[in-house]
Amino acid sequence: MIRVLQGNRPHEPECPCCADARLGRRSLIGAGLGLLACTVPGGAEAQVARGTRRVSVQRAYTSDSFSGVYFADGRYVTEALRKLDWVFRDLSREEVTPMDPRLFDVMNAVAARMEANEAFQVISGYRSPETNAATARRSGRVSTVSLHMSGMAGDMRIPGRDSYAMARLAATMGLGGVGLYRRDGFVHLDCGQSRRW
């Protein structure tokens, strides 16, 4: 049996006609529109909540990989998240942390928009504070407050795909942070605030 975690489900709107028994003309029109919205099946939010989300990842420098469903029937799949946590672990310390599943949502959305079936190659996922500090000392491009330490970020590429095009597309989607490391050929994606560099 697959165990699942409760995902972020969209708030179901309260039907406005139940809120107040005395409705004026404007309230009545608003109530009618609200009632229509409450009863229309298959809205975009409902499809996202009930949809199936997949991700394919392969860890650079190891043979670790995951390809499959990590979100189904409005919930994150626990076993899939555990496997993804392992793939995204801090390799230098062999340290695993729970990754923020919203990162996989960002990756899923980017892959869908790119029409990419290939696996993301993960260069860096979770970084322990010690690993991040050591990396920051070696490179001025690494933040000392990196979202990698919170399990909210990954540096990745899709082999055979243009990293610049991927970064541009991800940035226009506004789902989180996007950084292009053109010289190294990878893109930083995170599920924090929308920003780019």
Side-chain angles (χ1 to χ4, degrees), residues 153-166:
D155 296 334
M156 60 199 74
R157 66 172 67 98
I158 299 178
R161 299 291 187 118
D162 180 38
S163 294
Y164 176 72
M166 179 174 140

Side-chain angles (χ1 to χ4, degrees), residues 51-67:
T52 299
R53 300 179 205 158
R54 304 178 58 87
V55 69
S56 291
V57 295
Q58 180 182 27
R59 187 62 189 257
Y61 318 115
T62 76
S63 60
D64 300 315
S65 64
F66 174 86
S67 183

Side-chain angles (χ1 to χ4, degrees), residues 73-193:
D73 300 320
R75 299 169 187 255
Y76 291 103
V77 181
T78 304
E79 285 84 1
L81 294 183
R82 284 189 185 135
K83 290 175 184 176
L84 285 162
D85 292 344
W86 176 254
V87 174
F88 277 76
R89 73 191 180 280
D90 181 335
L91 291 180
S92 65
R93 300 177 67 85
E94 287 297 318
E95 189 174 317
V96 179
T97 198
M99 297 297 291
D100 190 322
R102 295 175 301 164
L103 174 62
F104 310 130
D105 293 339
V106 170
M107 295 168 66
N108 171 271
V110 169
R113 285 283 296 275
M114 292 181 70
E115 299 180 356
N117 295 319
E118 307 91 336
F120 285 93
Q121 184 181 46
V122 178
I123 313 310
S124 177
Y126 167 67
R127 285 189 209 135
S128 67
E130 296 82 4
T131 297
N132 196 75
T135 307
R137 282 192 295 272
R138 286 193 307 269
S139 171
R141 299 184 303 166
V142 175
S143 171
T144 56
V145 291
S146 171
L147 290 180
H148 285 272
M149 295 187 294
S150 302
M152 296 173 64
D155 296 334
M156 60 199 74
R157 66 172 67 98
I158 299 178
R161 299 291 187 118
D162 180 38
S163 294
Y164 176 72
M166 179 174 140
R168 277 190 65 185
L169 174 68
T172 62
M173 295 172 73
L175 300 175
V178 180
L180 174 63
Y181 294 86
R182 196 173 215 163
R183 186 180 66 202
D184 301 310
F186 66 80
V187 176
H188 167 102
L189 295 177
D190 68 50
C191 56
Q193 291 184 343

Side-chain angles (χ1 to χ4, degrees), residues 1-19:
M1 179 174 188
I2 295 177
R3 291 179 14 192
V4 293
L5 297 173
Q6 182 65 40
N8 292 334
R9 301 183 91 165
H11 176 69
E12 293 183 17
E14 180 181 318
C15 190
C17 63
C18 301

